Amino acid sequence: EYPNHLDQLSGLEMEYELHSFSHPTPETIRHDQEIHKGWESYRDFFCTDPLGYRSPSGVTSGEMFGTLHHLGFQFDSSCIPSYRPGVYNGLHLPRDPYYIGDTGLMEYPVGVASSLLRVPVSLSYLKLFGLPYRSALHFLTLPQLLVFSFHLHDLEVLPSFRSLPGNPALKFIFSRMYGRGGGLKAL
């Protein structure tokens, strides 16, 4: 939906991999459909196969890893060794890269602040928690390989921001995380 944003980033030396096709909610995600449709769209846009994948909201399944393996993906970065009520519990997951069973897929987990403070290191959380979290990151033991997470909505306020849930507490949290575009400048 936002190819002009990708065009703006095209001059940067960075790798683009597949996140999903439509970014469904954790309750409605169907990994097989998301991966296949996303894989086709990625190929149409970039004229090559994606090598890596990240599932929306850190929701994973055996079906997802099987589909990634079948399509020839080399790595995944969906696992988040943290806890998000009602969405995922990855507190048992390692913070460092590991192989996912016998799939041959390497998992590069999203970085968390430390082995005890398992808050994801992401632009959304930096915007939500602000200076105290940024300051804490200077003193914590981050993983040797840090997978830093961010979304397009972290860089620019998207039209979908206007349709966020009406719950006042969620509206406040979402407005701190997603209502302030400008990436790191918003911090």
Side-chain angles (χ1 to χ4, degrees), residues 79-84 88-95 112 114-120:
C79 296
I80 306 171
S82 182
Y83 176 70
R84 185 172 172 191
Y88 59 81
N89 182 356
L91 292 174
H92 64 286
L93 296 172
R95 296 172 58 217
V112 291
S114 74
S115 56
L116 296 176
L117 182 62
R118 289 187 167 235
V119 176

Side-chain angles (χ1 to χ4, degrees), residues 56-177:
S57 303
V59 176
T60 63
S61 71
E63 170 201 18
M64 180 192 95
F65 295 125
T67 300
L68 294 174
H69 173 70
H70 175 74
L71 289 173
F73 282 81
Q74 295 179 13
F75 68 91
D76 176 72
S77 186
S78 301
C79 296
I80 306 171
S82 182
Y83 176 70
R84 185 172 172 191
V87 182
Y88 59 81
N89 182 356
L91 292 174
H92 64 286
L93 296 172
R95 296 172 58 217
D96 295 313
Y98 58 94
Y99 283 101
I100 301 169
D102 60 357
T103 65
L105 287 167
M106 176 63 78
E107 176 64 37
Y108 293 100
V110 172
V112 291
S114 74
S115 56
L116 296 176
L117 182 62
R118 289 187 167 235
V119 176
V121 181
S122 71
L123 191 50
S124 292
Y125 281 102
L126 284 166
K127 289 166 66 175
L128 175 63
F129 298 124
L131 184 60
Y133 186 55
R134 283 190 323 210
S135 299
L137 289 176
H138 289 286
F139 301 103
L140 297 171
T141 308
L142 295 171
Q144 200 167 13
L145 173 70
L146 179 66
V147 176
F148 181 81
S149 175
F150 73 93
H151 285 80
L152 188 56
H153 60 69
D154 288 315
L155 303 175
E156 185 171 317
V157 178
L158 301 175
S160 57
F161 174 70
R162 294 184 242 315
S163 61
L164 288 173
N167 176 311
L170 286 177
K171 198 74 155 175
F172 171 76
I173 291 170
F174 287 143
S175 68
R176 285 194 52 98
M177 292 170 72

Side-chain angles (χ1 to χ4, degrees), residues 4-82:
N4 58 324
H5 295 299
L6 282 177
D7 290 341
Q8 291 174 9
L9 298 173
S10 66
L12 302 174
E13 290 185 28
M14 59 189 325
E15 182 177 326
Y16 296 95
E17 297 303 337
L18 183 59
H19 184 36
S20 71
F21 180 75
S22 66
H23 210 292
T25 63
E27 303 81 27
T28 62
I29 190 168
R30 298 198 50 210
H31 290 291
D32 192 50
Q33 288 180 350
E34 283 297 308
I35 295 168
H36 277 97
K37 287 181 180 179
W39 186 78
E40 290 171 10
S41 294
Y42 185 100
R43 288 192 64 170
D44 289 346
F45 190 86
F46 291 106
C47 300
T48 188
D49 291 345
L51 300 175
Y53 182 73
R54 174 169 294 148
S55 175
S57 303
V59 176
T60 63
S61 71
E63 170 201 18
M64 180 192 95
F65 295 125
T67 300
L68 294 174
H69 173 70
H70 175 74
L71 289 173
F73 282 81
Q74 295 179 13
F75 68 91
D76 176 72
S77 186
S78 301
C79 296
I80 306 171
S82 182

